[in-house]
Amino acid sequence: MNEQARYIISTMEGYLAHPYHTTPAGATAIELHQALSAAVVDAIAPDWAESRRRHWEHRHAYYLSAEFLVGRAVYNNLLCLGLTGEVDALLREKGTSLSALEEIEDAALGNGGLGRLAACFLDSAATLDLPLDGYGIRYRNGLFKQGIADGFQTELPDDWASSGDPWSVRAEGDVVEVAYGDGPVRAVPYDMPILGYGTGNIGTLRLWQAEGEGAAPISGTLYPDDSDEAGKLLRLKQEYFFTSASLQDILRRYEGEGRDLARFAEHNALQLNDTHPALAIPELIRLLSVRGMDFDGAFKIARRVFSYTNHTIMAEALETWPKGLVERAVPGMFAIIEAIDARLAADLTARGVDEGTAVRMAIVQDGKAHMAYLSVYAGRYVNGVARLHTEILKDDLLKDWYALWPERFQNKTNGITQRRWLALCNPPLAALITELLGSEAWLTDLSALRGLERYAGDDNVLSRFLDIKADRRAALARFAGEKYGITLDPGTIFDVQCKRLHEYKRQLLNILAILELYFELKEGSLTDFTPTTFLFAGKSAPGYRRAKGIIKLIHAVGTLIAADEAVSPYLKVAFLPNYNVSQAEYLMAAADVSEQISTAGTEASGTGNMKLMANGAVTLGTLDGANVEIIEEAGPEAEYIFGAHVEEIREKADSYDPNALYQSDHRIRRVLDALVDGTLDDGGTGAFRELYDSLLEGASWHRPDQYYLLLDFGRYLDKKLQVNRDYRDRLAFARKGWRNVASCGKFSSDRAVREYARDIWHIEPIEA
């Protein structure tokens, strides 16, 4: 038995005895989690301290992100230490087990793919022995805890640390002060260890908590509602809070080592994960000027230090901040942005850029600072997160910038960590992979899964793969029943769409197509239909009324189907509330079909598509984001692709008429009419009428059917039915899923982080 495992259990018992006065067998799940986690932190403390020292001695990269969606740490960290089996065995000897920790809440420090990507990157960097650490905010409450009442989303505070946070270590000695126009606050760091798999390297995620009179709201809630002035001010303060605190921390450490500030860029790289940390650019210039450096020198350093990852082409997600609000929050900050803008104007003039283009490229327009433009101009590199997305940035969103500075633009397709998203969430599949490949090398080199291709024609292996899928569907069914009281039939196809609720992600297209399947099954025009469970999961932003209407519609269609005894044996719709990392671990492993149906040209990349692919789901999707590269890797025969591509949508932009489709296609007319003719009940809210109008009449801020649902409806429905037919040949369908597993190597976050390290951060692995 591993000595470290014994040490952890012995230390855990000590923590359970004091202060809990209990034993492993008698401990609650919370007590067991607190004690076990604290024992692991104790065990890794020497390696953690040594890793920090080694990181600081080398050229170092920092990942600045408003979100780090880390999920539960205990299982992942034991996996990385290689101690899962031994610790579980020792716990069983003591009358408990690791499974007792299933009820522990996730750390609610993020919401979507941007935050999960950040967590995967830190995991990969630690595994690759790279000196990368993270900075963010230690939110007291996550976005919110989602509930469902009568089909409507409800929102409660997600006080995730109310029962303790044993993985975060308060570093009182490193407190800094962040100054606002209405007074300073204390930024108190909490450090979270990020363990590398099979290595002594441990990264650090430093999260800042605001303390002091009136400071609590600054680190109170992830993404506060910014629909009014007060909310906007709070969100701006949040962004300045963690960027200022992080830069102060980095500079203090750098200066403490006696290094020359003029050489700061030689030793440090800072990655802006979207525009939320973009205030770090003027803040670094301010902090360097406080230390006696002139604007020119400080600006040159900023341009060599910062790089920017763009995560969206959606206009509403490209942050702009009004001058008055910035000056109210942080007096003097907007003046620095204006000085950067003046330098840009001079640069453009010197390059002979015409006046119209220069006006279009200005960082400050109509009294607002455009943070994406600031990040592109005042940084070293800008990257998209999938090849298609990067091309759209170069051809459209940032076309003017690419024309002038093409050398700054790179693509870095997203990735996921196979440790959590395959080994941890799908142990039976991980065991089969290791058996067939003869080693666990794939845990640190996912491209090794290409070796599984030789088994694509092996019926015995495919049968075992089918058994694993059935086992994972059963596990999800147990989870859904115990956690939510939702009954799922693991003998049906599990068709999964789990992601943030947004119109461009087109959950509405999915549920309308399901409604049409219901009508066809009921009238008898659709026969020989393989029973299917359509699973949805995801949160709507609290103020996003239309997305909330889609959630209600999903439940209304589910209720309609469940009440129909003739159709319900073949069709079920289920919505799993409060989507988070731990729920995703069940969904990814159980899914047969991965719904990735965003309008072509709107999804930057996606990472859920990669997680589902790695676990053997086939993609039912559009040519959008990383789907394009998934198809290239696995082959079009392994996926189900439909819908308008980017070029077709551009061609139709000025002439598209969804009303003509409504009139000419009886299926479209039937499902849309059901929204308003009493077939479906929206509780008297008018939500379904609003969805109907959004598709046929539009609204003040968009044209009818902004995301081309009706254009793609027929093609989507055809592919949905093809999936259903193909599933009947179980081995042939399993072969498609197996090819997805074998072809997912490109989508490891290890590969992505290696590319960032080589091409953007210019950091090297640290030799022990």
Side-chain angles (χ1 to χ4, degrees):
M1 182 65 72
N2 185 288
E3 286 304 311
Q4 190 175 34
R6 291 192 182 279
Y7 172 84
I8 288 169
I9 296 302
S10 174
T11 305
M12 179 200 74
E13 288 183 294
Y15 282 124
L16 286 174
H18 306 284
Y20 297 115
H21 308 293
T22 189
T23 64
T28 66
I30 290 172
E31 291 168 345
L32 187 67
H33 178 253
Q34 291 285 112
L36 178 60
S37 301
V40 175
V41 172
D42 281 357
I44 66 172
D47 284 341
W48 194 6
E50 175 62 13
S51 292
R52 287 186 200 234
R53 184 190 66 78
R54 293 166 66 216
H55 282 206
W56 295 337
E57 287 180 350
H58 293 76
R59 176 171 168 80
H60 195 168
Y62 299 95
Y63 204 77
L64 275 59
S65 179
E67 298 184 41
F68 287 92
L69 191 54
V70 294
R72 287 183 298 201
V74 61
Y75 293 129
N76 193 69
N77 286 343
L78 288 173
L79 175 76
C80 288
L81 290 169
L83 298 178
T84 304
E86 289 168 291
V87 166
D88 191 45
L90 289 170
L91 287 174
R92 290 180 184 279
E93 290 177 10
K94 306 290 184 179
T96 186
S97 71
L98 284 176
S99 62
L101 305 181
E102 279 295 316
E103 66 183 74
I104 299 301
E105 296 283 349
D106 282 26
L109 299 167
N111 175 46
L114 178 146
R116 186 53 230 171
L117 182 78
C120 282
F121 277 12
L122 294 185
D123 175 290
S124 286
T127 297
L128 297 171
D129 216 13
L130 289 165
L132 173 73
D133 295 303
Y135 278 107
I137 299 177
R138 187 175 186 262
Y139 302 102
R140 176 178 176 180
N141 293 297
L143 188 66
F144 59 85
K145 187 170 289 187
Q146 183 193 50
I148 300 295
D150 193 28
F152 291 99
Q153 172 176 292
T154 62
E155 298 127 20
L156 293 171
D158 190 357
D159 190 4
W160 63 275
S162 59
S163 300
D165 177 20
W167 293 103
S168 295
V169 179
R170 186 178 171 100
E172 189 73 38
D174 288 344
V175 171
V176 299
E177 186 176 275
V178 176
Y180 295 106
D182 57 1
V185 302
R186 296 173 75 238
V188 181
Y190 282 74
D191 292 340
M192 186 177 292
I194 307 297
L195 277 65
Y197 179 83
T199 174
N201 185 31
I202 300 174
T204 300
L205 172 56
R206 173 158 281 192
L207 301 174
W208 300 99
Q209 180 170 291
E211 297 183 2
E213 186 176 352
I218 293 172
S219 57
T221 305
L222 172 67
Y223 297 146
D225 183 0
D226 60 357
S227 58
D228 59 21
E229 188 81 357
K232 288 182 174 66
L233 180 63
L234 177 56
R235 186 152 172 174
L236 181 62
K237 281 188 166 186
Q238 282 189 334
E239 295 184 0
Y240 181 68
F241 172 71
F242 89 90
T243 53
S244 178
S246 302
L247 287 171
Q248 290 183 61
D249 193 49
I250 293 166
L251 285 168
R252 178 177 57 188
R253 188 179 303 121
Y254 181 82
E255 291 176 298
E257 295 165 353
R259 293 179 173 175
D260 182 1
L261 271 180
R263 301 183 65 186
F264 181 77
E266 296 177 25
H267 299 278
N268 298 280
L270 281 79
Q271 190 71 30
L272 307 176
N273 192 30
D274 219 339
T275 55
H276 309 123
L279 284 172
I281 295 169
E283 175 66 359
L284 178 61
I285 291 172
R286 185 191 72 82
L287 290 169
L288 292 175
S289 68
V290 167
R291 288 160 170 78
M293 190 176 294
D294 62 20
F295 178 85
D296 287 346
F299 182 72
K300 287 177 182 176
I301 287 174
R303 291 197 79 170
R304 293 175 58 205
V305 165
F306 290 106
S307 294
Y308 160 53
T309 299
N310 175 284
H311 282 276
T312 183
I313 63 167
M314 308 300 291
E316 68 266 25
L318 295 171
E319 290 185 311
T320 61
W321 291 114
K323 180 176 182 176
L325 198 69
V326 176
E327 283 300 287
R328 183 177 164 193
V330 192
M333 186 57 57
F334 206 87
I336 300 174
I337 297 173
E338 288 177 321
I340 297 170
D341 191 38
R343 181 172 289 268
L344 167 63
D347 257 4
L348 297 180
T349 298
R351 288 171 171 262
V353 174
D354 66 84
E355 184 179 352
T357 301
V359 168
R360 197 165 58 235
M361 294 178 70
I363 294 168
V364 179
Q365 299 179 28
D366 300 322
K368 295 180 180 180
H370 288 245
M371 307 311 282
Y373 295 171
L374 173 66
S375 302
V376 175
Y377 176 63
R380 190 171 188 179
Y381 301 109
V382 55
N383 71 277
V385 290
R387 192 175 67 243
L388 175 62
H389 171 232
T390 300
E391 292 306 308
I392 292 172
L393 292 182
K394 294 191 296 188
D395 295 343
D396 189 357
L397 187 69
L398 299 174
K399 180 179 180 179
D400 296 327
W401 300 90
Y402 179 66
L404 286 175
W405 289 288
E407 70 280 1
R408 295 188 189 179
F409 284 73
Q410 297 188 17
N411 177 60
K412 295 288 174 275
T413 298
N414 282 346
I416 60 167
T417 167
Q418 63 266 34
R419 271 80 63 184
R420 181 180 289 272
W421 295 111
L422 188 46
L424 184 63
C425 76
N426 202 337
L429 181 56
L432 177 60
I433 290 168
T434 297
E435 175 192 329
L436 296 176
L437 295 180
S439 80
E440 293 185 334
W442 63 273
L443 284 166
T444 52
D445 178 12
L446 197 59
S447 65
L449 294 193
R450 280 290 181 192
L452 297 175
E453 288 180 340
R454 70 175 69 99
Y455 299 102
D458 188 322
D459 288 356
N460 178 59
V461 168
L462 295 178
S463 294
R464 294 175 66 186
F465 176 57
L466 287 172
D467 289 343
I468 289 168
K469 270 294 178 192
D471 174 78
R472 294 297 87 193
R473 289 195 301 270
L476 174 59
R478 288 192 298 272
F479 170 79
E482 294 167 4
K483 186 85 171 175
Y484 310 115
I486 295 173
T487 301
L488 302 178
D489 180 357
T492 62
I493 302 172
F494 277 14
D495 182 303
V496 172
Q497 188 175 20
C498 50
K499 54 185 76 241
R500 179 168 54 94
L501 257 291
H502 196 290
E503 287 169 274
Y504 86 83
K505 294 177 184 287
R506 302 205 295 188
Q507 287 94 343
L508 179 56
L509 174 61
N510 191 353
I511 196 61
L512 290 176
I514 294 167
L515 182 58
E516 175 59 21
L517 293 177
Y518 164 77
F519 286 137
E520 292 182 15
L521 285 166
K522 187 167 181 62
E523 71 187 8
S525 61
L526 175 59
T527 57
D528 297 323
F529 186 82
T530 307
T532 301
T533 299
F534 291 99
L535 290 156
F536 293 84
K539 297 178 180 179
S540 161
Y544 194 171
R545 190 175 67 175
R546 197 173 290 168
K548 287 183 167 184
I550 294 169
I551 291 175
K552 173 60 176 174
L553 179 60
I554 291 167
H555 284 90
V557 173
T559 299
L560 177 72
I561 294 168
D564 193 318
E565 294 181 358
V567 177
S568 57
Y570 303 98
L571 209 56
K572 183 179 180 70
V573 174
F575 188 98
L576 302 185
N578 205 42
Y579 183 54
N580 58 19
V581 173
S582 295
Q583 186 191 106
E585 289 169 5
Y586 284 97
L587 282 164
M588 302 303 169
D592 298 299
V593 183
S594 165
E595 296 267 359
Q596 307 297 330
I597 61 175
S598 53
T599 312
T602 60
E603 185 73 82
S605 169
T607 53
N609 48 3
M610 302 170 187
K611 296 162 194 166
L612 287 154
M613 177 193 195
N615 284 276
V618 301
T619 296
L620 172 57
T622 53
L623 287 170
D624 195 29
N627 291 356
V628 176
E629 293 163 75
I630 285 174
I631 295 159
E632 290 174 354
E633 295 298 308
E637 68 281 356
E639 319 297 354
Y640 294 84
I641 303 304
F642 73 94
H645 47 69
V646 171
E647 293 76 15
E648 182 182 349
I649 287 174
R650 285 176 179 163
E651 290 169 5
K652 291 181 180 293
D654 295 329
S655 60
Y656 177 55
D657 182 6
N659 282 278
L661 291 171
Y662 170 81
Q663 294 297 337
S664 63
D665 189 325
H666 76 279
R667 298 172 304 177
I668 290 175
R669 194 162 57 253
R670 174 160 60 181
V671 296
L672 292 192
D673 287 351
L675 298 178
V676 294
D677 66 7
T679 301
L680 299 164
D681 180 11
D682 65 5
T685 62
F688 296 171
R689 165 61 71 174
E690 216 248 328
L691 293 174
Y692 177 93
D693 289 345
S694 75
L695 296 173
L696 296 180
E697 297 181 15
S700 59
W701 56 275
H702 71 78
R703 61 194 171 186
D705 195 12
Q706 174 81 356
Y707 297 109
Y708 300 94
L709 276 70
L710 305 189
L711 177 65
D712 280 348
F713 184 85
R715 290 178 283 193
Y716 175 52
L717 191 60
D718 289 345
K719 283 294 180 182
K720 234 173 170 54
L721 290 169
Q722 184 184 341
V723 170
N724 192 271
R725 289 191 299 271
D726 288 355
Y727 191 85
R728 297 172 202 161
D729 187 337
R730 303 293 290 111
L731 285 175
F733 196 85
R735 191 169 296 113
K736 293 174 185 283
W738 187 258
R739 286 195 171 125
N740 274 278
V741 177
S743 306
C744 72
K746 175 180 180 176
F747 304 108
S748 170
S749 52
D750 296 351
R751 182 271 312 153
V753 166
R754 280 194 188 96
E755 292 179 1
Y756 277 91
R758 181 191 66 216
D759 303 333
I760 294 180
W761 305 328
H762 307 299
I763 59 174
E764 300 283 344
I766 301 170
E767 294 184 7

